Amino acid sequence: MNDAIPSYQELRHRVDGPAGSSWGVFGPDDELGTLNHLTPQTLLAAMGTVVSGEVVNLDLPLDAFDPALVSTRKPLSHHLFASNPHHRDEYLDNFFTQNATQIDGFRHIGHPDLGFYNGANPEHFTAGSPFLGINRLAEHGIAGRGVVLDVDRYLRSLGHEIDHRGEAIPAQTLAATAAHQGVELRPGDILLVRTGWLTHYRHDPVAAVPGGEPMRSSGLEASHETVAWLWDHQFALVATDNFAVESWPAHEASPFITRSEASGDVASTSHTGLMHRVLIPLLGMVLGELWDLDELAARCARDGRWDCLIVASPLNLTGGAGSPANATAIR
C-alpha cells in the first residue's frame, strides 16, 4: 500500500483542495488518475499470475447491443468495399466508442459543482486536442494483475439471486466475495466485478431491457462506503459486466446529489446522483463497463485461480472521451 496516498476519509476532509477529490494527489498536471498505481513493479508481479497460458477475450462484439442501451447512441453500420476483386477495405458509421465493452475517459463525466478531473477546463476539450483525452490512457498503457470477484456466483451459493432490475451491491459483499474466493487484493490491481447482468441480458435481451422503459441495471451500491473501499484499495481500474459499474438509475436518496441539483440551481439529468460523478471527475478512477467476464469467471471457478494478467488497449484517439476496452485476460 502506498502510504503517500491519502485515504478517502482524509480526502473528504481536505482543506487544500475540493473536499472528496484527489486533485493534486498525483501532481497538479496529472491526466492518468488511478492508472498511476500501475508501475513496472506491479506489472512484473502480475506476470507471475500466468500459469496455463490461456487467453480469454473480455470484449463483446462492437455490435452487441441493437438497439443500443443508451438512446443517444446508435448501433454501428459496418461497410466493406473493394477497389478491385482482390481487395477489401472498410469503414464504420455510427461508431459510438462507448456502446459496448468500454473504458471511460476523464472527459466523459464532470461534477456539476466542481468540474472535471484535476480542475481541467472543459473549454480545452476539443477533438484533436490531447488534453485529458483517452489517448493519455493509451499512451501510458494498461497492463497489470486482474482480480475477478464473481459476486453473482458467490451470492447464488448463499441462495440469493441478484435482481438485475436495479439491485445495489454494497462494498461488504465485494469484501465477502473476495474472502470466500480466498483472493488477496493488492494495490495496483485491476478489479473485475461480475454481477451476472450480462448473463441476464444474454438469456433474454427483451426482458433485460424492455422497449420503451427506462434502462435499469444491477451494480455497485452508490455510497461513500463503496467509494472508500474502491479508493482505499488503490485499484488501478475497476471494471464490471454491467451497464454503468454502479446500479442504474441512481436512487432518489443517493448521497451524490449535488447541492446545486438539490437546490434546483442545476437541472436534474439522468446522471443526477450517480457515483460516477465522484469516481471519475473527483478521484480520477478509471472505470470499465460491459466487460465480458462470464468465460473468465467460469475458468477461475473451475481451477480456483481468481487472478490473471490483464492487458487493455484503448484507442489512441486524440481527445477521446472513451474507448472500446480491447481487453484480454492471460492466465
Side-chain angles (χ1 to χ4, degrees):
M1 196 70 68
N2 185 349
D3 294 334
I5 304 296
S7 69
Y8 180 60
Q9 184 69 8
E10 290 171 327
L11 291 177
R12 290 188 69 188
H13 293 90
R14 68 181 298 186
V15 294
D16 59 342
S21 83
S22 67
W23 296 3
V25 167
F26 299 113
D29 301 317
D30 179 63
E31 298 179 57
L32 294 175
T34 55
L35 282 198
N36 283 285
H37 295 312
L38 291 180
T39 66
Q41 292 72 33
T42 61
L43 177 55
L44 288 172
M47 292 173 67
T49 65
V50 178
V51 176
S52 60
E54 300 168 79
V55 176
V56 184
N57 168 50
L58 304 181
D59 282 347
L60 295 167
L62 290 174
D63 59 355
F65 300 105
D66 187 1
L69 299 180
V70 177
S71 61
T72 54
R73 300 168 184 164
K74 298 177 177 61
L76 64 80
S77 297
H78 183 198
H79 305 275
L80 286 165
F81 67 93
S83 61
N84 63 66
H86 313 293
H87 162 269
R88 296 294 184 275
D89 207 334
E90 63 191 334
Y91 64 94
L92 302 174
D93 283 333
N94 292 328
F95 177 32
F96 287 77
T97 60
Q98 295 171 274
N99 214 17
T101 304
Q102 64 179 274
I103 293 174
D104 287 342
F106 292 149
R107 289 186 174 192
H108 177 51
I109 292 285
H111 189 279
D113 293 354
L114 300 173
F116 288 82
Y117 176 63
N118 232 10
N121 184 348
E123 292 183 4
H124 299 307
F125 293 174
T126 57
S129 166
F131 175 61
L132 212 68
I134 197 71
N135 48 284
R136 295 303 193 211
L137 309 190
E139 292 162 4
H140 180 273
I142 301 174
R145 177 180 182 254
V147 175
V148 180
L149 295 187
D150 194 343
V151 174
D152 176 57
R153 193 178 304 269
Y154 166 62
L155 290 180
R156 284 178 183 274
S157 74
L158 301 179
H160 175 75
E161 185 172 341
I162 295 173
D163 179 359
H164 293 296
R165 295 285 290 162
E167 182 171 337
I169 299 165
Q172 299 96 307
T173 300
L174 299 178
T177 303
H180 175 75
Q181 295 176 181
V183 66
E184 177 190 3
L185 303 174
R186 304 171 187 165
D189 280 349
I190 295 170
L191 182 69
L192 308 174
V193 179
R194 181 178 173 272
T195 67
W197 183 87
L198 191 55
T199 308
H200 170 66
Y201 176 87
R202 282 173 164 145
H203 177 71
D204 192 342
V206 175
V209 187
E213 293 187 21
M215 177 68 196
R216 301 188 68 84
S217 169
S218 57
L220 304 191
E221 179 185 74
S223 68
H224 287 295
E225 290 76 16
T226 301
V227 176
W229 195 84
L230 297 175
W231 173 262
D232 292 347
H233 275 92
Q234 298 181 9
F235 297 126
L237 185 152
V238 176
T240 64
D241 64 339
N242 69 332
F243 174 65
V245 176
E246 59 197 290
S247 59
W248 182 283
H251 193 274
E252 61 183 11
S254 168
F256 305 117
I257 296 174
T258 67
R259 290 189 299 272
S260 58
E261 289 170 326
S263 66
D265 292 338
V266 171
S268 296
T269 70
S270 60
H271 294 162
T272 296
L274 288 181
M275 190 166 56
H276 258 57
R277 289 176 163 181
V278 171
L279 296 177
I280 294 177
L282 297 192
L283 295 176
M285 189 169 291
V286 182
L287 301 181
E289 301 164 358
L290 295 169
W291 285 38
D292 189 355
L293 303 177
D294 285 354
E295 177 61 24
L296 176 60
R299 297 192 189 197
C300 291
R302 280 197 293 269
D303 62 20
R305 291 191 292 116
W306 295 96
D307 60 358
C308 58
L309 176 64
I310 295 292
V311 179
S313 183
L315 297 177
N316 197 356
L317 175 63
T318 304
S323 170
N326 300 317
T328 300
I330 307 170
R331 306 184 72 238

